Amino acid sequence: AGIGKCVAMDLARRNARTILACRSQERGQAAVEEIRAATGNPAVVLRLLDTGSLASVRAFASAVLREESRLDVLVNNAGVTGLPFAITSEGLEQTFATNYLGPFLLTNLLLG
């Protein structure tokens, strides 16, 4: 939704292979289908990612590096606000992990 979906739509319109990294399978798949229909680009795919989980970030980055021959653009757009204080299973504060640590780790893992 929002800025991320708009960016993905624009990349798909430019005929780019576009990977939507989403927490929700249902919402992500709906976005993929909408973007494919609007752009005619079949190379829009969904991969699950929760930037609040460093294990999820590592698994996502590993899959991208294994499955994709190249990565030209990375848009770190995920974020949360207003959540009650919570600690992740990895011992990190949830908002900090989701908004900062996860995207930082993802970027560094994909740099190659």
Side-chain angles (χ1 to χ4, degrees), residues 33-105:
E33 291 168 14
E34 181 182 338
I35 293 168
R36 284 179 182 167
T39 65
N41 183 344
V44 179
V45 298
L46 174 65
R47 298 290 180 263
L48 296 180
L49 170 63
D50 177 359
T51 58
S53 162
L54 300 186
S56 176
V57 171
R58 290 180 197 286
F60 176 87
S62 177
V64 168
L65 292 172
R66 185 177 58 253
E67 297 168 5
E68 303 295 329
S69 62
R70 59 190 269 188
L71 178 65
D72 296 311
V73 177
L74 174 64
V75 179
N76 280 319
N77 183 59
V80 295
T81 185
L83 295 179
F85 181 83
I87 299 295
T88 69
S89 62
E90 296 159 316
L92 305 168
E93 194 279 320
Q94 182 69 51
T95 301
F96 185 59
T98 301
N99 294 350
Y100 299 101
L101 298 177
F104 180 82
L105 178 60

